[in-house]
Structures are given as structure tokens and as C-alpha cells.
Amino acid sequence: MNKIFLNLRKCTDNARKGDARSGSSKEKHITATASQNLETANRRCYQGRAWGKYLPPTQLTRQRVIAESLHIARPLVHLASMFKFGQQSWKPWLLSCGLDVSSILMMGNTKDLNVNEEAEMKRRTVYLLYYLLRSPFYDRYSKIIFLLSAMANKIPGVGLIARPLMEYLPYWQQVYFYNWGY
């Protein structure tokens, strides 16, 4: 692969310099074709690398600045309340959820936001569902393990997937949703 790349690079260098020493006309044609292909690939690469059209940020009102501040402060408030009230307390869960919901509601109508900001608000709204998978809500109200065990015992073949999933689910819940980061 490296040999091909080096040969292609020589070809493009020769084609760009218009090197007359490149040999026969067939070789010049191959060199020119390789150069065109490489230039097309480079053009596509740079076009594909554009992460999107730059959109200037929307001017935030005072209410939206407070909403963004609440969203930024949420992890700190959650950790401080978890330190004060303990991991199994509902207060950190309620505070964090309340801050997220307040932040989304204070942002108001998202129609005047640019496309990237509107997508971020949709992402935050969908991520509210993660509160159902976080302790203490998950620990108290989740019946997923019982459902998986019933399916594994009743439906043939499901046990091959459900039993390992039942073993790992508590670990995944502790590791991925303990941090509350997303």
C-alpha cells in the first residue's frame, strides 16, 4: 500500500511540475490521470471534512443565558447534593432532573435558534429519558430484570441472549449512569 501511495505521489509531483522526463506518452497519460484522481479525492476530502456551514451563534436573551447556566451547573449541583444526601437519596435525582427540565423550558421556542443549537436542544430533550435509567428510579421501579427472566424461561432461545444481559445489566447501570454525564 505504501509503495502504491509513493508511486502515486511521484506521479502527481511529476504531473504538477510538467516533468518531460516522465517517459512515454502512455506514462504521461497515466500520470495525468492519477493527478486528476488525486486532486478530485483531495477536493472531496476537504468538502467532506466541512463539519457544516458556520452559523453564527444566536444572540441569547437574559432568560436563555440563565437556562444555559443551569444546564452547565447541573453536574456540579448533582454531585454536591449526592455528597450531602447520599447516593440512594432521591434529592440529587430530583434536583438534577429539575435543573434539566427548567433549562429546557427556559430556552423557550427553539424556532429562532440556528440549526446546530436546535439540534442540541432536541438532544437534551431526548436525554431526559436517561433519568429513567438512573438510580434511585431505576433501582426502585425497573422491572427489566424480571421481564428478561420471564422471557428467558418461557420463550425458547431467548435465554441465550437474556441471561448474560441480566447478569451484566446491573453493572452497566452502575458504570454508565452513575456518572450522569452525557
Side-chain angles (χ1 to χ4, degrees):
M1 185 71 176
N2 289 336
K3 195 174 193 181
I4 294 170
F5 180 75
L6 291 174
N7 288 338
L8 185 60
R9 182 152 186 157
K10 279 184 189 175
C11 290
T12 55
D13 290 342
N14 289 340
R16 285 189 184 139
K17 292 176 187 172
D19 193 358
R21 295 176 289 144
S22 63
S24 68
S25 63
K26 185 177 180 182
E27 199 173 298
K28 286 180 184 176
H29 174 71
I30 291 172
T31 304
T33 305
S35 175
Q36 290 170 353
N37 289 342
L38 187 61
E39 287 174 9
T40 304
N42 281 341
R43 202 173 314 117
R44 283 186 192 144
C45 181
Y46 290 127
Q47 288 171 352
R49 197 175 296 170
W51 288 280
K53 186 176 165 186
Y54 173 74
L55 300 170
T58 305
Q59 199 66 9
L60 296 179
T61 62
R62 182 174 183 195
Q63 181 177 348
R64 285 189 171 169
V65 169
I66 294 170
E68 285 297 309
S69 300
L70 287 176
H71 179 73
I72 292 168
R74 180 193 54 82
L76 298 174
V77 169
H78 170 71
L79 287 174
S81 64
M82 206 162 84
F83 179 74
K84 181 170 172 82
F85 302 115
Q87 288 184 2
Q88 294 303 316
S89 173
W90 280 87
K91 291 176 184 175
W93 189 88
L94 289 170
L95 278 170
S96 183
C97 186
L99 287 176
D100 264 346
V101 170
S102 299
S103 170
I104 290 170
L105 292 176
M106 287 180 78
M107 285 300 285
N109 190 3
T110 60
K111 298 296 178 196
D112 57 337
L113 299 175
N114 70 35
V115 177
N116 297 335
E117 294 166 344
E118 192 172 345
E120 171 66 16
M121 291 308 299
K122 285 179 184 175
R123 184 189 69 82
R124 289 182 191 178
T125 305
V126 170
Y127 276 11
L128 286 175
L129 293 175
Y130 278 168
Y131 279 96
L132 301 177
L133 297 172
R134 294 182 176 139
S135 294
F137 185 89
Y138 176 84
D139 297 336
R140 184 153 184 182
Y141 295 110
S142 177
K143 307 292 185 226
I144 292 174
I145 300 227
F146 299 117
L147 178 70
L148 286 174
S149 124
M151 288 175 53
N153 294 333
K154 303 276 183 189
I155 303 171
V158 173
L160 295 172
I161 297 171
R163 285 187 187 93
L165 191 61
M166 288 186 315
E167 289 178 24
Y168 286 112
L169 198 58
Y171 298 115
W172 289 337
Q173 193 273 336
Q174 276 183 331
V175 170
Y176 293 113
F177 296 108
Y178 175 75
N179 296 332
W180 292 62
Y182 49 81

